[in-house]
Amino acid sequence: MAIWLGLLLFLGTVIGMEAFAYAAHRWIMHGFGWFLHESHHRARRGHWELNDLYAAIFAVPSFVLVFGGLNLGWWPGFAWIGAGVATYGMIYFGFHDVIVHQRIPNRYLPKSKYMKRIVQAHRLHHVVETREGNVSFGFLVAPKPEMLKAELKRRARAGIRAPARPRETQAGTHAPAVGS
């Protein structure tokens, strides 16, 4: 396979994974998979939550595609696609777990308009504790925070968590209450 085609498959997969992640988050994690994802909308106790199983679940197709493309004689494009899925997973981990939820302590403060927007959009997603009524299901593409706040307000703030007490915030509560 030509390297340019492999790189195109890789890049297309990384970009396409945002659409897949949006759909999985909206209709699987906030649908029939809520029993795992619910832990992510609650204060975390310890380092792990049931929602972390999704990382293992979504890593399996990536591993199988890379392994099959490199070792089992499958079409070589599968290895590039699997690498694209894995790369999106690493980007997701860095953005979601390290930057937004600070599961690895750091002092990163978003400075660019883009980073501020996606961090704020994800935090607005987390002000809703229930499976319904959420906004902003994407990770790297997000509506403007003003639009998300207006949508939460339009929904009569259904499912929005009560303002956190200072001690809860330190214990790992994901987001503060929504401002008007």
Side-chain angles (χ1 to χ4, degrees):
M1 165 177 281
I3 189 102
W4 66 267
L5 181 56
L7 290 171
L8 195 61
L9 282 168
F10 171 80
L11 207 57
T13 301
V14 171
I15 292 167
M17 281 301 296
E18 178 67 7
F20 174 82
Y22 176 95
H25 189 195
R26 184 165 190 167
W27 291 294
I28 294 174
M29 294 176 186
H30 282 263
F32 65 86
W34 179 251
F35 71 100
L36 294 176
H37 189 61
E38 180 179 20
S39 66
H40 189 57
H41 283 261
R42 304 277 185 251
R44 185 176 48 255
R45 303 202 191 322
H47 294 292
W48 304 101
E49 53 193 41
L50 277 175
N51 185 69
D52 293 332
L53 289 173
Y54 280 117
I57 291 166
F58 293 136
V60 170
S62 173
F63 174 81
V64 168
L65 287 169
V66 170
F67 188 78
L70 293 177
N71 297 309
L72 300 179
W74 296 0
W75 177 57
F78 286 141
W80 289 97
I81 293 168
V85 172
T87 298
Y88 183 86
M90 288 183 275
I91 293 167
Y92 169 88
F93 174 77
F95 163 69
H96 183 264
D97 291 317
V98 176
I99 292 174
V100 175
H101 295 297
Q102 297 192 348
R103 291 180 75 175
I104 297 174
N106 66 82
R107 294 177 180 237
Y108 175 82
L109 288 173
K111 292 184 176 105
S112 74
K113 253 176 123 171
Y114 169 73
M115 287 303 292
K116 287 178 182 178
R117 179 177 176 163
I118 61 173
V119 168
Q120 190 172 11
H122 194 75
R123 288 188 175 145
L124 287 168
H125 173 79
H126 276 279
V127 300
V128 179
E129 290 183 309
T130 59
R131 123 187 203 180
E132 295 90 17
N134 267 284
V135 294
S136 189
F137 293 91
F139 295 105
L140 302 177
V141 177
K144 292 181 179 177
E146 301 77 33
M147 292 172 55
L148 299 173
K149 288 176 184 179
E151 180 60 21
L152 287 169
K153 194 172 189 177
R154 185 187 71 74
R155 294 178 184 177
R157 303 167 78 82
I160 293 179
R161 75 176 74 241
R165 296 186 309 255
R167 187 167 182 224
E168 287 177 338
T169 302
Q170 293 171 357
T173 297
H174 292 294
V178 176
S180 297

